[in-house]
Amino acid sequence: MLSSLNLTPRDYAFVTLLFITELARSAFFLTFWPLYSVNFLGFSVFAAGLVVSGHYLTETLLKSLAGSLLDKRGRPVLLLGLLISFLSLLGLYYAKSLWPALLLSGMFGLGFTPVWLAVISNVAPTGCSDRATRMGLVFSAWLLGMGIGPVGVNFILPLGYQDTFIICIILWGLSLIIGLTIPFAIKTTRINFTILGQVKKLASNPMVLHVLLPGMFLQTLAASLLLPILPLYATQTLGLTSQQYGLLLTAGGATAVLFLIPMGRLVDRFSLRKLLSLGFLSTAILLLLFPSIYHLKTIVLLVVLVGFSYAIILPAWNSLLAKAIPAEQQATGWGIFTTMEGLGIAVGPSLGGAIASLLYPAGTIYLSAFVLACMGLFYVFYPLDDILTKQE
């Protein structure tokens, strides 16, 4: 499959950069930080979630600006971002209280903003004949990094929190070296557009206002609600070891990756409305079952089924997004869309941590399931297929 794309060494370097940066970031914020800050630094679950939210909120708010700068300046924007994130991670190693950690996590988010935009703009540029397949490669690298990171870190945690932290720093240093060696293709030509103008253009599209906006925020909110509580829920409530939790994540992630291509082929055969409804509703039902299950084999089965449901959602959602991404100023367009999606990620961890602290971790799981159920019901009744037909 990859041989048919005629990928250059530069393309592979960009995809590798995305994989390593997302692996290091997700390992750090999705698994390592909640455990490290609560168990080693003595943070509350709410404070741990607040730091995670600070990272994703900063990245979210500055994503559109990063896309605009990439279209205008190119390579220096990517390199500066990687350097800022590297220095921020070093600073977090020495941070022992909430406010310095919150500031540094925000700086980490600032540095990360151009990475994904630079990769997709260079590997899958507008006008490329096999752009859709190349986009699939980019999303696969992102998904693998985001999946392997939180899983893999569980297997090195027995080395100790400080050694695990150093490994995360080394990984980001490797990404900085890769970034320094990649030839950059984004042209530094004069660009006659503004971010506000692009936002107005997208807002005039009824599909964006009535279909994409609810999904962009709510689906990422539902997932990120669980970020600060899942590692603690698995180890404290279910009594799992970090290795067992890692195996659970491996089972879910591997199932999602395994079924991405088969489910992606269904996008061309079935309506997006049916696939999105099925994916969201099935995920919601499975999450509702989690707080009542304590048997490990049953938990593994539920995790595998959740991975399968996610494999239904992702290609359908990406296909829906691709119909609204502007052909011109692609880094800016992707930046605006990922900003809208990232708002859910930014709000979710702090909200999930607060609910877990005030009520119980199961309350966060129920809220996530409720949000996904609302998403599924929205696409059951909304005439999505009719809007897509008019869009074409």
Side-chain angles (χ1 to χ4, degrees):
M1 179 178 176
L2 292 180
S3 60
S4 63
L5 294 179
N6 297 317
L7 296 172
T8 65
R10 175 180 156 277
D11 293 327
Y12 283 113
F14 267 114
V15 171
T16 302
L17 174 67
L18 178 61
F19 170 75
I20 293 177
T21 52
E22 192 57 62
L23 182 149
R25 178 175 77 146
S26 61
F28 186 82
F29 282 107
L30 302 190
T31 297
F32 177 76
W33 179 259
L35 295 173
Y36 170 75
S37 59
V38 171
N39 298 330
F40 187 77
L41 297 180
F43 284 19
S44 66
V45 177
F46 173 72
L50 194 63
V51 171
V52 177
S53 285
H55 168 78
Y56 286 103
L57 179 62
T58 305
E59 182 199 2
T60 295
L61 294 179
L62 298 177
K63 206 70 171 262
S64 299
L65 176 61
S68 177
L69 291 174
L70 274 169
D71 280 329
K72 295 176 181 179
R73 302 295 181 184
R75 178 187 177 91
V77 177
L78 174 64
L79 295 180
L80 180 61
L82 291 171
L83 179 60
I84 290 174
S85 290
F86 180 71
L87 295 176
S88 301
L89 195 57
L90 284 176
L92 282 167
Y93 181 78
Y94 296 101
K96 304 301 179 184
S97 58
L98 175 60
W99 292 111
L102 188 59
L103 175 62
L104 288 165
S105 70
M107 290 180 61
F108 197 143
L110 166 66
F112 190 81
T113 50
V115 177
W116 191 87
L117 302 175
V119 173
I120 196 149
S121 299
N122 281 269
V123 178
T126 300
C128 183
S129 60
D130 53 359
R131 187 186 184 205
T133 307
R134 285 172 170 263
M135 284 177 59
L137 175 63
V138 173
F139 277 104
S140 296
W142 164 74
L143 183 61
L144 283 172
M146 190 176 65
I148 294 175
V151 173
V153 74
N154 285 280
F155 295 99
I156 60 175
L157 273 172
L159 297 176
Y161 285 121
Q162 291 181 310
D163 288 343
T164 303
F165 207 136
I166 291 173
I167 291 173
C168 291
I169 294 173
I170 292 173
L171 280 174
W172 201 269
L174 176 60
S175 72
L176 181 58
I177 294 173
I178 295 174
L180 288 169
T181 63
I182 299 178
F184 216 84
I186 292 181
K187 299 179 181 179
T188 56
T189 55
R190 185 173 297 174
I191 305 293
N192 297 316
F193 71 91
T194 63
I195 296 175
L196 181 59
Q198 288 295 304
V199 171
K200 290 180 178 178
K201 182 177 179 180
L202 289 173
S204 65
N205 187 335
M207 185 176 73
V208 173
L209 284 178
H210 303 300
V211 178
L212 295 181
L213 280 180
M216 284 179 179
F217 178 77
L218 291 177
Q219 70 161 324
T220 51
L221 173 69
S224 61
L225 280 169
L226 304 175
L227 296 184
I229 67 104
L230 277 184
L232 298 172
Y233 182 78
T235 55
Q236 296 179 5
T237 303
L238 299 179
L240 302 180
T241 65
S242 60
Q243 289 88 350
Q244 287 175 321
Y245 176 60
L247 289 174
L248 277 180
L249 293 180
T250 300
T255 302
V257 172
L258 183 64
F259 284 97
L260 268 180
I261 294 178
M263 293 299 105
R265 291 174 180 171
L266 295 181
V267 172
D268 296 326
R269 300 182 182 181
F270 297 93
S271 73
L272 292 179
R273 182 180 66 84
K274 292 180 180 179
L275 291 174
L276 289 171
S277 300
L278 174 63
F280 285 126
L281 288 175
S282 61
T283 304
I285 293 171
L286 292 167
L287 282 180
L288 286 173
L289 296 175
F290 265 99
S292 61
I293 301 299
Y294 294 91
H295 193 270
L296 182 57
K297 290 184 178 179
T298 307
I299 293 172
V300 171
L301 176 60
L302 285 177
V303 168
V304 168
L305 292 175
V306 168
F308 178 77
S309 297
Y310 185 72
I312 298 174
I313 295 172
L314 188 61
W317 185 254
N318 288 340
S319 177
L320 192 60
L321 273 183
K323 296 179 184 296
I325 291 290
E328 68 281 358
Q329 292 92 44
Q330 52 191 323
T332 306
W334 277 112
I336 292 171
F337 273 102
T338 52
T339 293
M340 298 160 84
E341 286 190 314
L343 288 174
I345 299 177
V347 173
S350 57
L351 179 59
I355 293 174
S357 297
L358 294 174
L359 300 175
Y360 190 70
T364 305
I365 297 175
Y366 286 135
L367 177 59
S368 178
F370 174 75
V371 172
L372 290 171
C374 290
M375 287 283 299
L377 291 174
F378 174 85
Y379 289 111
V380 166
F381 295 105
Y382 195 81
L384 175 61
D385 295 334
D386 294 338
I387 291 180
L388 292 177
T389 300
K390 293 178 182 178
Q391 185 79 13
E392 295 173 354

